[in-house]
Amino acid sequence: MARAATTTDAFNAVAEPRRREILEVLARGERSVGDLVGELELAQPQVSKHLKVLHEVGLVAVREDGRRRLYRLNGRGLKPIHDWVARFEQHWEDRFGVLDAVLEELQEEP
Amino acid sequence: MARAATTTDAFNAVAEPRRREILEVLARGERSVGDLVGELELAQPQVSKHLKVLHEVGLVAVREDGRRRLYRLNGRGLKPIHDWVARFEQHWEDRFGVLDAVLEELQEEP
DNA sequence: CCATCGTATTCCCATATGGGAATACGTCAA
DNA sequence: TTGACGTATTCCCATATGGGAATACGATGG
C-alpha cells in the first residue's frame, strides 16, 4: 500500500504547506482562484488542484460568480485536528516535556 | 516533485493514522517496541519504521534499556500543529461556519 | 457566433510511501 | 561461545503525489 491519499482527511490535506497557505489566505476572506494565484506565488493550475483537494475534504466551500469561482474557508473542517492535538496539550504545558527534550539531546550526542 | 517526505515535519508525520495511534499509546506512558506491537495491531517492523519517522521529527524520544528501547512521547512536537490550527478556532466557533456548510450542501445537490 | 477571460482537467515524471517478508544487529542468559 | 530475544534495516512493489506544460471548458462581452 502507498501513502494515504491527500483527500483522505483533513490531516492529510493539511500536510501540504501550500494548502495551509491557501487556508490562511481564505481565513482573511473569500477569494477567487485568480486572487489566490496573485497572493501566493503559485501557478493557476496548482492552485485549482489544491483547492480541489481542500474542497473534497470539506475545508473550503465554493460559490459561483460568473466566470469566477469564489472560495471560502470552512473552519469546521479543522476541528478534528484541533481536537486530536488538544488531547496532548498537557504534555507540553508542564516542564517534563522540556526535561525530556534536554535528556534526549544529551543522550544523542555522537 | 513528489509529496513532501513524512519526516519533513510534524504535520506530515501525523498524517498517518497508525502514527497517530502510536502517539496516543505513548501519551499513556513509556513503551517498548514490543509493547506497541502488542497494543496496536501492527507488525514489529512497521512499528519500528513508524517510530523512526516520529523520532526524526522529534515527536518521540528513546531510551535504551538492555535489549529493549523505551519510547516516550514528546508532546512539544505537536505544539506547532496546535498553534497553527488554533488560528482558525474562531472560524468554527461562530455560527457562520455552520451556515456555510448548509449553503454548500444545498448548492452541491446533483 | 466568436474571441477572451477565469478555471479546471489532463499528461508526463521523479519521488517515496507503507506494508510484507526476510534478514541483520546488539544484548543478555546459560 | 552460543543461542535466543528485541529491534532495526533492507528489498520489493503498487500507488499517487505535486509541479510544469498544454489543453479543455464554461461564461461573458461584442
Side-chain angles (χ1 to χ4, degrees), chain A residues 3 16, chain B residues 1-5:
Chain A
R3 215 205 285 207
E16 164 65 74
Chain B
M1 201 181 288
R3 213 204 289 208

Side-chain angles (χ1 to χ4, degrees), chain A residues 96-107:
Chain A
F96 298 119
V98 182
L99 178 58
D100 274 357
V102 174
L103 293 176
E104 177 76 351
E105 292 203 13
L106 288 177
Q107 186 174 9

Side-chain angles (χ1 to χ4, degrees), chain A residues 8-66:
Chain A
T8 300
D9 53 36
F11 283 97
N12 282 279
V14 158
E16 164 65 74
R18 324 310 302 264
R19 277 192 292 264
R20 254 175 278 148
E21 288 180 28
I22 290 180
L23 293 180
E24 287 165 26
V25 173
L26 293 183
R28 303 202 291 270
E30 203 175 44
R31 294 284 191 286
S32 71
V33 177
D35 291 338
L36 290 169
V37 171
E39 298 195 40
L40 307 170
E41 310 247 303
L42 260 177
Q44 178 267 312
Q46 346 293 350
V47 171
S48 283
K49 290 179 199 167
H50 283 313
L51 284 170
K52 184 178 185 181
V53 173
L54 292 172
H55 185 253
E56 274 188 59
V57 298
L59 283 172
V60 303
V62 212
R63 176 167 73 90
E64 318 255 329
D65 173 46

